Amino acid sequence: DVVMTQSPLSLPVTLGQPASISCRSSESLVYSDGKTYLNWFQQRPGQSPRRLIYKVSNRDSGVPDRFSGSGSGTDFTLKISRVEAEDVGIYYCMQGTHWPLTFGGGTKLEIK
Amino acid sequence: EVQLVESGGGLVQPGGSLRLSCVASGFTFSYYSMSWVRQAPGRGLEWVAILNQDGSDTHYVDSVKGRFTISRDNAKNSLFLQMNSLRAEDTAVYYCARDRQLYRWGQGTLVTVSS
């Protein structure tokens, strides 16, 4: 199985400051169609997960533009340009290229 | 608006069975593959199974192979997960989600396996 490794585990951030989460995969996530199926999800406290970013860098509808994704191959990053109070929660990366689909262990973002 | 509503969770004894349902609306259900994902209490996310658009192709995580069966009824916009031989480690909130890239999720249904 493809192992997804996220860091850090915990991310205390001051309001208005940037935040960055790293996600590394044990294998390349480039699919046979040439696309890279790396997605990012946000899970706010007490809520279902919500997809933020798909195929590395594409924001889902309704996702604020302070969220951005980047990376290639096995190394990916989610960035929040200016953290707001509503961003508190756990962030997961997930690969949709190989079976079984696998998630990173999560990064808990909190306000410092 | 895409909506997914799960039901069927509850308390079941080890070795027992349960059938989860997910009703979809807001999109053409038969056009999309559908997934189940679970989250044990206080833990991370684990993808469980996926079924393609016409029900002819499935994939499962190893830990549920031979025990869980994913199915769908496109006429009723419904996805199912038949869970047999349940174990304590299957205790989790189970979410249905649209497609392989998990575009949208339901609110989840809690399955508790305990004697």
mmCIF file of all heavy atoms in Angstrom, chain A residues 1 31 37 39 41 43 47-51 60-61 92 94 96-103 105, chain B residues 35 37 39 43-47 50 59-62 95 99-108:
data_model
loop_
_atom_site.group_PDB
_atom_site.id
_atom_site.type_symbol
_atom_site.label_atom_id
_atom_site.label_comp_id
_atom_site.label_asym_id
_atom_site.label_seq_id
_atom_site.Cartn_x
_atom_site.Cartn_y
_atom_site.Cartn_z
ATOM 1 N N ASP A 1 0.832 -1.194 0.000
ATOM 2 C CA ASP A 1 0.000 0.000 0.000
ATOM 3 C C ASP A 1 0.875 1.255 0.000
ATOM 4 O O ASP A 1 1.976 1.249 0.563
ATOM 5 C CB ASP A 1 -0.900 0.020 1.243
ATOM 6 C CG ASP A 1 -1.869 -1.147 1.283
ATOM 7 O OD1 ASP A 1 -1.852 -1.992 0.347
ATOM 8 O OD2 ASP A 1 -2.643 -1.227 2.257
ATOM 9 N N TYR A 31 -0.579 8.991 -12.229
ATOM 10 C CA TYR A 31 -1.394 7.905 -12.754
ATOM 11 C C TYR A 31 -1.041 7.645 -14.218
ATOM 12 O O TYR A 31 -0.332 8.449 -14.839
ATOM 13 C CB TYR A 31 -2.876 8.276 -12.600
ATOM 14 C CG TYR A 31 -3.861 7.172 -12.853
ATOM 15 C CD1 TYR A 31 -3.746 5.934 -12.217
ATOM 16 C CD2 TYR A 31 -4.924 7.343 -13.731
ATOM 17 C CE1 TYR A 31 -4.654 4.918 -12.453
ATOM 18 C CE2 TYR A 31 -5.836 6.334 -13.971
ATOM 19 C CZ TYR A 31 -5.702 5.131 -13.333
ATOM 20 O OH TYR A 31 -6.605 4.122 -13.566
ATOM 21 N N TYR A 37 -3.165 12.292 -8.657
ATOM 22 C CA TYR A 37 -4.382 12.313 -7.843
ATOM 23 C C TYR A 37 -4.043 12.422 -6.359
ATOM 24 O O TYR A 37 -4.130 11.467 -5.592
ATOM 25 C CB TYR A 37 -5.236 11.087 -8.155
ATOM 26 C CG TYR A 37 -5.778 11.132 -9.569
ATOM 27 C CD1 TYR A 37 -5.117 10.480 -10.613
ATOM 28 C CD2 TYR A 37 -6.921 11.872 -9.868
ATOM 29 C CE1 TYR A 37 -5.590 10.552 -11.910
ATOM 30 C CE2 TYR A 37 -7.400 11.947 -11.160
ATOM 31 C CZ TYR A 37 -6.735 11.287 -12.186
ATOM 32 O OH TYR A 37 -7.207 11.363 -13.467
ATOM 33 N N ASN A 39 -5.151 14.695 -3.118
ATOM 34 C CA ASN A 39 -6.223 15.561 -2.643
ATOM 35 C C ASN A 39 -5.984 15.958 -1.188
ATOM 36 O O ASN A 39 -5.331 15.243 -0.434
ATOM 37 C CB ASN A 39 -7.566 14.831 -2.742
ATOM 38 C CG ASN A 39 -7.809 14.263 -4.120
ATOM 39 O OD1 ASN A 39 -7.630 14.932 -5.129
ATOM 40 N ND2 ASN A 39 -8.208 12.993 -4.176
ATOM 41 N N PHE A 41 -8.065 17.350 2.389
ATOM 42 C CA PHE A 41 -9.360 17.445 3.054
ATOM 43 C C PHE A 41 -9.206 18.199 4.373
ATOM 44 O O PHE A 41 -8.178 18.128 5.028
ATOM 45 C CB PHE A 41 -9.913 16.041 3.346
ATOM 46 C CG PHE A 41 -10.182 15.248 2.104
ATOM 47 C CD1 PHE A 41 -9.171 14.519 1.498
ATOM 48 C CD2 PHE A 41 -11.441 15.233 1.529
ATOM 49 C CE1 PHE A 41 -9.403 13.796 0.332
ATOM 50 C CE2 PHE A 41 -11.685 14.517 0.366
ATOM 51 C CZ PHE A 41 -10.661 13.806 -0.231
ATOM 52 N N GLN A 43 -11.221 18.652 8.079
ATOM 53 C CA GLN A 43 -12.274 18.174 8.968
ATOM 54 C C GLN A 43 -12.340 19.094 10.181
ATOM 55 O O GLN A 43 -11.483 19.041 11.061
ATOM 56 C CB GLN A 43 -12.048 16.731 9.398
ATOM 57 C CG GLN A 43 -13.243 16.158 10.158
ATOM 58 C CD GLN A 43 -13.115 14.678 10.465
ATOM 59 O OE1 GLN A 43 -12.011 14.159 10.644
ATOM 60 N NE2 GLN A 43 -14.243 13.980 10.542
ATOM 61 N N GLN A 47 -17.475 17.770 12.466
ATOM 62 C CA GLN A 47 -18.039 17.769 11.112
ATOM 63 C C GLN A 47 -17.457 16.639 10.264
ATOM 64 O O GLN A 47 -16.437 16.044 10.599
ATOM 65 C CB GLN A 47 -17.768 19.107 10.427
ATOM 66 C CG GLN A 47 -18.486 20.280 11.064
ATOM 67 C CD GLN A 47 -18.341 21.548 10.234
ATOM 68 O OE1 GLN A 47 -17.905 21.534 9.079
ATOM 69 N NE2 GLN A 47 -18.726 22.679 10.830
ATOM 70 N N SER A 48 -18.113 16.387 9.154
ATOM 71 C CA SER A 48 -17.586 15.456 8.158
ATOM 72 C C SER A 48 -16.420 16.101 7.434
ATOM 73 O O SER A 48 -16.330 17.336 7.355
ATOM 74 C CB SER A 48 -18.665 15.128 7.135
ATOM 75 O OG SER A 48 -19.804 14.587 7.743
ATOM 76 N N PRO A 49 -15.547 15.291 6.870
ATOM 77 C CA PRO A 49 -14.474 15.869 6.044
ATOM 78 C C PRO A 49 -15.032 16.572 4.820
ATOM 79 O O PRO A 49 -16.099 16.229 4.306
ATOM 80 C CB PRO A 49 -13.649 14.636 5.646
ATOM 81 C CG PRO A 49 -13.935 13.627 6.708
ATOM 82 C CD PRO A 49 -15.375 13.850 7.067
ATOM 83 N N ARG A 50 -14.278 17.548 4.363
ATOM 84 C CA ARG A 50 -14.637 18.340 3.189
ATOM 85 C C ARG A 50 -13.404 18.424 2.297
ATOM 86 O O ARG A 50 -12.314 18.715 2.792
ATOM 87 C CB ARG A 50 -15.050 19.738 3.649
ATOM 88 C CG ARG A 50 -15.087 20.827 2.588
ATOM 89 C CD ARG A 50 -15.021 22.186 3.264
ATOM 90 N NE ARG A 50 -15.123 23.296 2.334
ATOM 91 C CZ ARG A 50 -14.779 24.552 2.636
ATOM 92 N NH1 ARG A 50 -14.305 24.841 3.833
ATOM 93 N NH2 ARG A 50 -14.905 25.509 1.742
ATOM 94 N N ARG A 51 -13.585 18.146 1.012
ATOM 95 C CA ARG A 51 -12.424 18.248 0.126
ATOM 96 C C ARG A 51 -12.131 19.715 -0.175
ATOM 97 O O ARG A 51 -13.039 20.482 -0.500
ATOM 98 C CB ARG A 51 -12.673 17.484 -1.177
ATOM 99 C CG ARG A 51 -11.388 17.204 -1.957
ATOM 100 C CD ARG A 51 -11.653 16.396 -3.202
ATOM 101 N NE ARG A 51 -12.272 17.211 -4.246
ATOM 102 C CZ ARG A 51 -12.634 16.735 -5.447
ATOM 103 N NH1 ARG A 51 -12.431 15.465 -5.734
ATOM 104 N NH2 ARG A 51 -13.194 17.541 -6.331
ATOM 105 N N ASP A 60 -11.514 23.297 -4.741
ATOM 106 C CA ASP A 60 -12.922 22.987 -4.932
ATOM 107 C C ASP A 60 -13.751 24.267 -4.829
ATOM 108 O O ASP A 60 -13.296 25.276 -4.257
ATOM 109 C CB ASP A 60 -13.381 21.964 -3.901
ATOM 110 C CG ASP A 60 -13.120 20.541 -4.360
ATOM 111 O OD1 ASP A 60 -13.808 20.088 -5.289
ATOM 112 O OD2 ASP A 60 -12.215 19.888 -3.795
ATOM 113 N N SER A 61 -14.955 24.228 -5.375
ATOM 114 C CA SER A 61 -15.812 25.407 -5.353
ATOM 115 C C SER A 61 -16.123 25.797 -3.913
ATOM 116 O O SER A 61 -16.375 24.938 -3.055
ATOM 117 C CB SER A 61 -17.115 25.143 -6.113
ATOM 118 O OG SER A 61 -17.806 24.068 -5.540
ATOM 119 N N TYR A 92 -6.085 16.410 6.130
ATOM 120 C CA TYR A 92 -5.605 15.120 5.642
ATOM 121 C C TYR A 92 -5.250 15.218 4.163
ATOM 122 O O TYR A 92 -6.010 15.781 3.378
ATOM 123 C CB TYR A 92 -6.681 14.049 5.771
ATOM 124 C CG TYR A 92 -7.136 13.735 7.170
ATOM 125 C CD1 TYR A 92 -8.233 14.381 7.740
ATOM 126 C CD2 TYR A 92 -6.498 12.749 7.933
ATOM 127 C CE1 TYR A 92 -8.665 14.076 9.023
ATOM 128 C CE2 TYR A 92 -6.932 12.440 9.220
ATOM 129 C CZ TYR A 92 -8.006 13.112 9.747
ATOM 130 O OH TYR A 92 -8.445 12.791 11.018
ATOM 131 N N MET A 94 -4.599 12.730 0.781
ATOM 132 C CA MET A 94 -5.103 11.426 0.361
ATOM 133 C C MET A 94 -4.685 11.184 -1.080
ATOM 134 O O MET A 94 -4.763 12.112 -1.909
ATOM 135 C CB MET A 94 -6.627 11.404 0.505
ATOM 136 C CG MET A 94 -7.320 10.235 -0.173
ATOM 137 S SD MET A 94 -8.243 10.847 -1.578
ATOM 138 C CE MET A 94 -8.658 9.339 -2.406
ATOM 139 N N GLY A 96 -5.344 9.246 -4.593
ATOM 140 C CA GLY A 96 -6.396 8.565 -5.339
ATOM 141 C C GLY A 96 -5.863 7.874 -6.575
ATOM 142 O O GLY A 96 -6.610 7.624 -7.517
ATOM 143 N N THR A 97 -4.569 7.563 -6.566
ATOM 144 C CA THR A 97 -3.927 6.957 -7.738
ATOM 145 C C THR A 97 -3.875 5.442 -7.654
ATOM 146 O O THR A 97 -4.155 4.737 -8.635
ATOM 147 C CB THR A 97 -2.497 7.513 -7.888
ATOM 148 O OG1 THR A 97 -2.559 8.920 -8.100
ATOM 149 C CG2 THR A 97 -1.750 6.838 -9.034
ATOM 150 N N HIS A 98 -3.477 4.931 -6.493
ATOM 151 C CA HIS A 98 -3.222 3.493 -6.335
ATOM 152 C C HIS A 98 -4.256 2.860 -5.414
ATOM 153 O O HIS A 98 -4.763 3.499 -4.492
ATOM 154 C CB HIS A 98 -1.831 3.266 -5.726
ATOM 155 C CG HIS A 98 -0.712 3.872 -6.498
ATOM 156 N ND1 HIS A 98 -0.220 3.332 -7.662
ATOM 157 C CD2 HIS A 98 0.008 5.010 -6.271
ATOM 158 C CE1 HIS A 98 0.758 4.087 -8.119
ATOM 159 N NE2 HIS A 98 0.923 5.113 -7.300
ATOM 160 N N TRP A 99 -4.577 1.564 -5.644
ATOM 161 C CA TRP A 99 -5.426 0.809 -4.717
ATOM 162 C C TRP A 99 -4.559 0.149 -3.650
ATOM 163 O O TRP A 99 -3.513 -0.408 -3.965
ATOM 164 C CB TRP A 99 -6.191 -0.284 -5.460
ATOM 165 C CG TRP A 99 -7.057 0.187 -6.566
ATOM 166 C CD1 TRP A 99 -6.924 -0.127 -7.889
ATOM 167 C CD2 TRP A 99 -8.194 1.077 -6.478
ATOM 168 N NE1 TRP A 99 -7.906 0.507 -8.603
ATOM 169 C CE2 TRP A 99 -8.705 1.251 -7.783
ATOM 170 C CE3 TRP A 99 -8.842 1.732 -5.415
ATOM 171 C CZ2 TRP A 99 -9.821 2.042 -8.066
ATOM 172 C CZ3 TRP A 99 -9.937 2.527 -5.702
ATOM 173 C CH2 TRP A 99 -10.408 2.668 -7.002
ATOM 174 N N PRO A 100 -5.013 0.176 -2.377
ATOM 175 C CA PRO A 100 -6.181 0.918 -1.892
ATOM 176 C C PRO A 100 -5.890 2.417 -1.776
ATOM 177 O O PRO A 100 -4.741 2.823 -1.618
ATOM 178 C CB PRO A 100 -6.400 0.308 -0.505
ATOM 179 C CG PRO A 100 -5.020 -0.046 -0.054
ATOM 180 C CD PRO A 100 -4.299 -0.511 -1.291
ATOM 181 N N LEU A 101 -6.933 3.226 -1.844
ATOM 182 C CA LEU A 101 -6.774 4.643 -1.584
ATOM 183 C C LEU A 101 -6.303 4.804 -0.149
ATOM 184 O O LEU A 101 -6.766 4.087 0.742
ATOM 185 C CB LEU A 101 -8.102 5.368 -1.779
ATOM 186 C CG LEU A 101 -8.852 5.097 -3.100
ATOM 187 C CD1 LEU A 101 -10.097 5.959 -3.178
ATOM 188 C CD2 LEU A 101 -7.948 5.304 -4.295
ATOM 189 N N THR A 102 -5.388 5.743 0.085
ATOM 190 C CA THR A 102 -4.842 5.892 1.430
ATOM 191 C C THR A 102 -4.738 7.367 1.820
ATOM 192 O O THR A 102 -4.548 8.244 0.975
ATOM 193 C CB THR A 102 -3.456 5.237 1.555
ATOM 194 O OG1 THR A 102 -2.624 5.640 0.441
ATOM 195 C CG2 THR A 102 -3.562 3.724 1.563
ATOM 196 N N PHE A 103 -4.857 7.582 3.132
ATOM 197 C CA PHE A 103 -4.799 8.911 3.710
ATOM 198 C C PHE A 103 -3.528 9.085 4.521
ATOM 199 O O PHE A 103 -2.974 8.114 5.070
ATOM 200 C CB PHE A 103 -5.975 9.128 4.670
ATOM 201 C CG PHE A 103 -7.317 9.246 4.023
ATOM 202 C CD1 PHE A 103 -8.094 8.121 3.789
ATOM 203 C CD2 PHE A 103 -7.830 10.487 3.659
ATOM 204 C CE1 PHE A 103 -9.344 8.219 3.210
ATOM 205 C CE2 PHE A 103 -9.083 10.598 3.081
ATOM 206 C CZ PHE A 103 -9.838 9.464 2.852
ATOM 207 N N GLY A 105 -1.880 10.675 8.059
ATOM 208 C CA GLY A 105 -2.358 10.544 9.425
ATOM 209 C C GLY A 105 -3.057 11.783 9.973
ATOM 210 O O GLY A 105 -3.682 11.722 11.033
ATOM 211 N N SER B 35 -17.849 5.638 -2.952
ATOM 212 C CA SER B 35 -16.937 5.062 -1.959
ATOM 213 C C SER B 35 -17.546 5.047 -0.560
ATOM 214 O O SER B 35 -18.457 5.814 -0.267
ATOM 215 C CB SER B 35 -15.646 5.887 -1.881
ATOM 216 O OG SER B 35 -14.853 5.774 -3.027
ATOM 217 N N VAL B 37 -15.912 5.358 3.380
ATOM 218 C CA VAL B 37 -14.731 5.703 4.163
ATOM 219 C C VAL B 37 -15.142 5.645 5.630
ATOM 220 O O VAL B 37 -16.273 5.999 5.962
ATOM 221 C CB VAL B 37 -14.228 7.128 3.827
ATOM 222 C CG1 VAL B 37 -12.968 7.463 4.630
ATOM 223 C CG2 VAL B 37 -13.966 7.268 2.329
ATOM 224 N N GLN B 39 -14.043 6.187 9.998
ATOM 225 C CA GLN B 39 -13.196 6.894 10.959
ATOM 226 C C GLN B 39 -13.482 6.339 12.344
ATOM 227 O O GLN B 39 -14.565 6.574 12.903
ATOM 228 C CB GLN B 39 -13.457 8.399 10.911
ATOM 229 C CG GLN B 39 -12.530 9.213 11.770
ATOM 230 C CD GLN B 39 -12.677 10.706 11.514
ATOM 231 O OE1 GLN B 39 -13.758 11.213 11.233
ATOM 232 N NE2 GLN B 39 -11.563 11.429 11.599
ATOM 233 N N ARG B 43 -9.696 8.759 15.737
ATOM 234 C CA ARG B 43 -8.635 8.343 14.815
ATOM 235 C C ARG B 43 -8.773 9.034 13.461
ATOM 236 O O ARG B 43 -9.656 9.853 13.240
ATOM 237 C CB ARG B 43 -8.696 6.823 14.622
ATOM 238 C CG ARG B 43 -8.633 6.013 15.906
ATOM 239 C CD ARG B 43 -7.283 6.151 16.590
ATOM 240 N NE ARG B 43 -6.206 5.594 15.807
ATOM 241 C CZ ARG B 43 -5.829 4.327 15.850
ATOM 242 N NH1 ARG B 43 -6.466 3.463 16.619
ATOM 243 N NH2 ARG B 43 -4.808 3.905 15.110
ATOM 244 N N GLY B 44 -7.887 8.663 12.541
ATOM 245 C CA GLY B 44 -7.892 9.261 11.208
ATOM 246 C C GLY B 44 -8.865 8.567 10.266
ATOM 247 O O GLY B 44 -9.680 7.738 10.680
ATOM 248 N N LEU B 45 -8.746 8.912 9.003
ATOM 249 C CA LEU B 45 -9.648 8.407 7.981
ATOM 250 C C LEU B 45 -9.077 7.167 7.311
ATOM 251 O O LEU B 45 -7.873 7.078 7.061
ATOM 252 C CB LEU B 45 -9.866 9.490 6.917
ATOM 253 C CG LEU B 45 -10.455 10.797 7.434
ATOM 254 C CD1 LEU B 45 -10.391 11.871 6.362
ATOM 255 C CD2 LEU B 45 -11.886 10.596 7.907
ATOM 256 N N GLU B 46 -9.967 6.219 7.029
ATOM 257 C CA GLU B 46 -9.570 4.994 6.329
ATOM 258 C C GLU B 46 -10.569 4.712 5.221
ATOM 259 O O GLU B 46 -11.765 4.510 5.485
ATOM 260 C CB GLU B 46 -9.516 3.806 7.297
ATOM 261 C CG GLU B 46 -9.102 2.513 6.592
ATOM 262 C CD GLU B 46 -9.090 1.295 7.506
ATOM 263 O OE1 GLU B 46 -10.003 1.153 8.344
ATOM 264 O OE2 GLU B 46 -8.156 0.466 7.375
ATOM 265 N N TRP B 47 -10.098 4.677 4.001
ATOM 266 C CA TRP B 47 -10.952 4.307 2.884
ATOM 267 C C TRP B 47 -11.277 2.811 2.982
ATOM 268 O O TRP B 47 -10.413 1.998 3.324
ATOM 269 C CB TRP B 47 -10.230 4.604 1.569
ATOM 270 C CG TRP B 47 -10.940 4.098 0.373
ATOM 271 C CD1 TRP B 47 -11.979 4.675 -0.282
ATOM 272 C CD2 TRP B 47 -10.665 2.879 -0.322
ATOM 273 N NE1 TRP B 47 -12.373 3.889 -1.339
ATOM 274 C CE2 TRP B 47 -11.575 2.787 -1.388
ATOM 275 C CE3 TRP B 47 -9.739 1.850 -0.145
ATOM 276 C CZ2 TRP B 47 -11.581 1.726 -2.273
ATOM 277 C CZ3 TRP B 47 -9.736 0.789 -1.024
ATOM 278 C CH2 TRP B 47 -10.650 0.724 -2.075
ATOM 279 N N ILE B 50 -14.949 0.836 -2.823
ATOM 280 C CA ILE B 50 -15.457 1.649 -3.927
ATOM 281 C C ILE B 50 -16.164 0.751 -4.933
ATOM 282 O O ILE B 50 -15.817 -0.441 -5.067
ATOM 283 C CB ILE B 50 -14.323 2.440 -4.616
ATOM 284 C CG1 ILE B 50 -14.869 3.508 -5.563
ATOM 285 C CG2 ILE B 50 -13.382 1.487 -5.363
ATOM 286 C CD1 ILE B 50 -13.805 4.490 -6.052
ATOM 287 N N HIS B 59 -13.377 -2.429 -5.372
ATOM 288 C CA HIS B 59 -12.081 -2.525 -4.682
ATOM 289 C C HIS B 59 -12.345 -2.356 -3.199
ATOM 290 O O HIS B 59 -13.240 -1.588 -2.814
ATOM 291 C CB HIS B 59 -11.117 -1.440 -5.159
ATOM 292 C CG HIS B 59 -10.704 -1.588 -6.582
ATOM 293 N ND1 HIS B 59 -9.611 -2.331 -6.972
ATOM 294 C CD2 HIS B 59 -11.256 -1.090 -7.720
ATOM 295 C CE1 HIS B 59 -9.505 -2.269 -8.294
ATOM 296 N NE2 HIS B 59 -10.486 -1.529 -8.765
ATOM 297 N N TYR B 60 -11.555 -3.076 -2.397
ATOM 298 C CA TYR B 60 -11.716 -3.028 -0.943
ATOM 299 C C TYR B 60 -10.352 -2.885 -0.274
ATOM 300 O O TYR B 60 -9.332 -3.358 -0.799
ATOM 301 C CB TYR B 60 -12.353 -4.322 -0.421
ATOM 302 C CG TYR B 60 -13.736 -4.606 -0.898
ATOM 303 C CD1 TYR B 60 -13.965 -5.352 -2.048
ATOM 304 C CD2 TYR B 60 -14.849 -4.142 -0.192
ATOM 305 C CE1 TYR B 60 -15.251 -5.626 -2.493
ATOM 306 C CE2 TYR B 60 -16.140 -4.416 -0.621
ATOM 307 C CZ TYR B 60 -16.333 -5.155 -1.775
ATOM 308 O OH TYR B 60 -17.604 -5.420 -2.199
ATOM 309 N N VAL B 61 -10.344 -2.299 0.920
ATOM 310 C CA VAL B 61 -9.151 -2.352 1.751
ATOM 311 C C VAL B 61 -9.017 -3.786 2.259
ATOM 312 O O VAL B 61 -10.023 -4.476 2.460
ATOM 313 C CB VAL B 61 -9.241 -1.330 2.908
ATOM 314 C CG1 VAL B 61 -10.305 -1.724 3.917
ATOM 315 C CG2 VAL B 61 -7.897 -1.141 3.561
ATOM 316 N N ASP B 62 -7.785 -4.249 2.442
ATOM 317 C CA ASP B 62 -7.558 -5.655 2.795
ATOM 318 C C ASP B 62 -8.305 -6.092 4.057
ATOM 319 O O ASP B 62 -8.796 -7.222 4.145
ATOM 320 C CB ASP B 62 -6.061 -5.916 2.987
ATOM 321 C CG ASP B 62 -5.323 -6.108 1.670
ATOM 322 O OD1 ASP B 62 -5.997 -6.178 0.611
ATOM 323 O OD2 ASP B 62 -4.082 -6.163 1.688
ATOM 324 N N TYR B 95 -18.747 6.881 6.391
ATOM 325 C CA TYR B 95 -19.180 7.923 5.470
ATOM 326 C C TYR B 95 -19.280 7.345 4.058
ATOM 327 O O TYR B 95 -18.411 6.574 3.644
ATOM 328 C CB TYR B 95 -18.171 9.059 5.408
ATOM 329 C CG TYR B 95 -17.900 9.793 6.697
ATOM 330 C CD1 TYR B 95 -16.811 9.478 7.496
ATOM 331 C CD2 TYR B 95 -18.715 10.845 7.105
ATOM 332 C CE1 TYR B 95 -16.530 10.170 8.656
ATOM 333 C CE2 TYR B 95 -18.453 11.547 8.268
ATOM 334 C CZ TYR B 95 -17.364 11.202 9.037
ATOM 335 O OH TYR B 95 -17.097 11.897 10.187
ATOM 336 N N ASP B 99 -17.364 9.372 -5.719
ATOM 337 C CA ASP B 99 -16.265 9.067 -6.633
ATOM 338 C C ASP B 99 -14.939 8.728 -5.979
ATOM 339 O O ASP B 99 -14.814 8.708 -4.743
ATOM 340 C CB ASP B 99 -16.117 10.146 -7.716
ATOM 341 C CG ASP B 99 -15.622 11.494 -7.220
ATOM 342 O OD1 ASP B 99 -14.588 11.572 -6.526
ATOM 343 O OD2 ASP B 99 -16.271 12.501 -7.539
ATOM 344 N N ARG B 100 -13.967 8.421 -6.790
ATOM 345 C CA ARG B 100 -12.669 7.953 -6.323
ATOM 346 C C ARG B 100 -11.889 9.052 -5.612
ATOM 347 O O ARG B 100 -11.068 8.778 -4.735
ATOM 348 C CB ARG B 100 -11.892 7.434 -7.535
ATOM 349 C CG ARG B 100 -10.495 6.911 -7.252
ATOM 350 C CD ARG B 100 -9.973 6.220 -8.490
ATOM 351 N NE ARG B 100 -8.575 5.805 -8.343
ATOM 352 C CZ ARG B 100 -7.970 4.919 -9.130
ATOM 353 N NH1 ARG B 100 -8.649 4.341 -10.109
ATOM 354 N NH2 ARG B 100 -6.708 4.606 -8.934
ATOM 355 N N GLN B 101 -12.182 10.285 -5.973
ATOM 356 C CA GLN B 101 -11.463 11.394 -5.351
ATOM 357 C C GLN B 101 -12.252 12.029 -4.201
ATOM 358 O O GLN B 101 -11.879 13.079 -3.698
ATOM 359 C CB GLN B 101 -11.113 12.453 -6.418
ATOM 360 C CG GLN B 101 -10.411 11.884 -7.644
ATOM 361 C CD GLN B 101 -9.161 11.048 -7.307
ATOM 362 O OE1 GLN B 101 -8.443 11.341 -6.350
ATOM 363 N NE2 GLN B 101 -8.915 10.007 -8.096
ATOM 364 N N LEU B 102 -13.346 11.357 -3.796
ATOM 365 C CA LEU B 102 -14.088 11.716 -2.580
ATOM 366 C C LEU B 102 -14.538 13.166 -2.593
ATOM 367 O O LEU B 102 -14.290 13.930 -1.651
ATOM 368 C CB LEU B 102 -13.223 11.389 -1.344
ATOM 369 C CG LEU B 102 -12.612 9.990 -1.331
ATOM 370 C CD1 LEU B 102 -11.790 9.792 -0.071
ATOM 371 C CD2 LEU B 102 -13.696 8.921 -1.454
ATOM 372 N N TYR B 103 -15.242 13.545 -3.671
ATOM 373 C CA TYR B 103 -15.634 14.932 -3.887
ATOM 374 C C TYR B 103 -16.508 15.466 -2.766
ATOM 375 O O TYR B 103 -16.291 16.570 -2.273
ATOM 376 C CB TYR B 103 -16.343 15.049 -5.230
ATOM 377 C CG TYR B 103 -17.040 16.356 -5.466
ATOM 378 C CD1 TYR B 103 -16.341 17.558 -5.470
ATOM 379 C CD2 TYR B 103 -18.414 16.406 -5.683
ATOM 380 C CE1 TYR B 103 -16.987 18.767 -5.688
ATOM 381 C CE2 TYR B 103 -19.066 17.609 -5.905
ATOM 382 C CZ TYR B 103 -18.343 18.781 -5.903
ATOM 383 O OH TYR B 103 -18.990 19.966 -6.113
ATOM 384 N N ARG B 104 -17.532 14.720 -2.375
ATOM 385 C CA ARG B 104 -18.447 15.169 -1.311
ATOM 386 C C ARG B 104 -18.728 13.988 -0.393
ATOM 387 O O ARG B 104 -18.781 12.844 -0.834
ATOM 388 C CB ARG B 104 -19.778 15.664 -1.892
ATOM 389 C CG ARG B 104 -19.731 17.055 -2.466
ATOM 390 C CD ARG B 104 -19.625 18.136 -1.413
ATOM 391 N NE ARG B 104 -19.738 19.477 -1.972
ATOM 392 C CZ ARG B 104 -18.712 20.217 -2.353
ATOM 393 N NH1 ARG B 104 -17.494 19.750 -2.206
ATOM 394 N NH2 ARG B 104 -18.915 21.422 -2.841
ATOM 395 N N TRP B 105 -18.975 14.310 0.900
ATOM 396 C CA TRP B 105 -19.193 13.295 1.921
ATOM 397 C C TRP B 105 -20.547 13.491 2.586
ATOM 398 O O TRP B 105 -21.037 14.616 2.696
ATOM 399 C CB TRP B 105 -18.124 13.392 3.001
ATOM 400 C CG TRP B 105 -16.717 13.237 2.536
ATOM 401 C CD1 TRP B 105 -16.101 13.893 1.497
ATOM 402 C CD2 TRP B 105 -15.720 12.400 3.094
ATOM 403 N NE1 TRP B 105 -14.794 13.505 1.388
ATOM 404 C CE2 TRP B 105 -14.528 12.596 2.359
ATOM 405 C CE3 TRP B 105 -15.699 11.501 4.166
ATOM 406 C CZ2 TRP B 105 -13.345 11.917 2.653
ATOM 407 C CZ3 TRP B 105 -14.523 10.834 4.463
ATOM 408 C CH2 TRP B 105 -13.362 11.040 3.703
ATOM 409 N N GLY B 106 -21.094 12.413 3.090
ATOM 410 C CA GLY B 106 -22.289 12.517 3.913
ATOM 411 C C GLY B 106 -21.919 12.877 5.342
ATOM 412 O O GLY B 106 -20.760 13.137 5.664
ATOM 413 N N GLN B 107 -22.923 12.837 6.211
ATOM 414 C CA GLN B 107 -22.703 13.197 7.614
ATOM 415 C C GLN B 107 -22.213 12.015 8.442
ATOM 416 O O GLN B 107 -21.745 12.179 9.564
ATOM 417 C CB GLN B 107 -23.988 13.772 8.233
ATOM 418 C CG GLN B 107 -24.963 12.744 8.790
ATOM 419 C CD GLN B 107 -25.652 11.905 7.728
ATOM 420 O OE1 GLN B 107 -25.617 12.210 6.535
ATOM 421 N NE2 GLN B 107 -26.314 10.837 8.161
ATOM 422 N N GLY B 108 -22.308 10.819 7.866
ATOM 423 C CA GLY B 108 -21.799 9.623 8.533
ATOM 424 C C GLY B 108 -22.838 8.924 9.392
ATOM 425 O O GLY B 108 -23.830 9.515 9.821
#
